[in-house]
Amino acid sequence: MTGKNTGVLQSVERAMRVLDHVAAAGGPVAAREVARDLGLTLPTTYHLLTTLVTGGYLVHLPEQRAYALGHRLDDLARALHRQIAVPPGVCRVAAVVHREAHAAAYYASLRNAEMIVAHVDECPEHPRIRTLGVGFHEAPHATAFGKLMLATLEPADREAVLDRTGTPAVTAATVTDRDQLQEQLHRVRGTGLAVEVNEFQPELSCMAAPVNDAAGRFVGAVAVSLPTARMRADRWSVERVVRLGAVRASRAVALETATRTGRLRNG
């Protein structure tokens, strides 16, 4: 029984690796390439590809003798957006932060030791960082809201996250040394604010302040991104807007939780 379950789990893990590999490719991928790159036998690869095609996660392109992402992934993306949707009050706070800071504003939610971008407020004059769309959850060591999360974690949990994600150099300015990162996080805990300068994208900087629930637990962050030159020139005015936005977002989260709890009790 144990061996059979292990085989099933191994098949699932291999299927996820295949799906990730096709997703990371620049275009359709041939089965032989998947097998070679992942170190799988060709029959196993075909079995996994056929299973993913049957589920709608991949499509087979006969004319190209290759495989590409399927429509089911778009369904999952929409479902994710629904699940991480933020309360209307938080959206209104992000709009105010965007307007008053003259910068793209973000709300990132804490989900299972990951900070995931759940809402973005931007405009043509103040666009978001291209990769920081809803659903982004990578490089916590290089983003302001990621640093906030890392600063709140217990040391063992923080190390586990960093072991999983690594600390790669996203830009030449990214802090990749763990000792230096720990010094940054110590300052974040002391000031209640996280700032990254050119660490995630050259000539762009981010600032984030923590959002807490009614019990004082860290649940998310209000953040902005703007050109580094502006960050340096307007640091204190931007910080005031971000900190106030985080306070308002904390109130909105607490109100939404209280309202939802009341509905459940009365339902």
Side-chain angles (χ1 to χ4, degrees), residues 45-61:
T45 301
Y46 275 120
H47 173 71
L48 295 171
L49 289 168
T50 300
T51 300
L52 290 168
V53 168
T54 301
Y57 299 100
L58 294 180
V59 293
H60 182 220
L61 306 174

Side-chain angles (χ1 to χ4, degrees), residues 112-131:
N112 193 30
E114 284 186 332
M115 289 295 281
I116 182 167
V117 175
H119 181 73
V120 181
D121 205 287
E122 60 175 333
C123 66
E125 291 77 19
H126 308 296
R128 65 175 172 85
I129 293 178
R130 184 176 58 82
T131 52

Side-chain angles (χ1 to χ4, degrees), residues 212-217:
N212 301 316
D213 64 11
R217 294 170 298 210

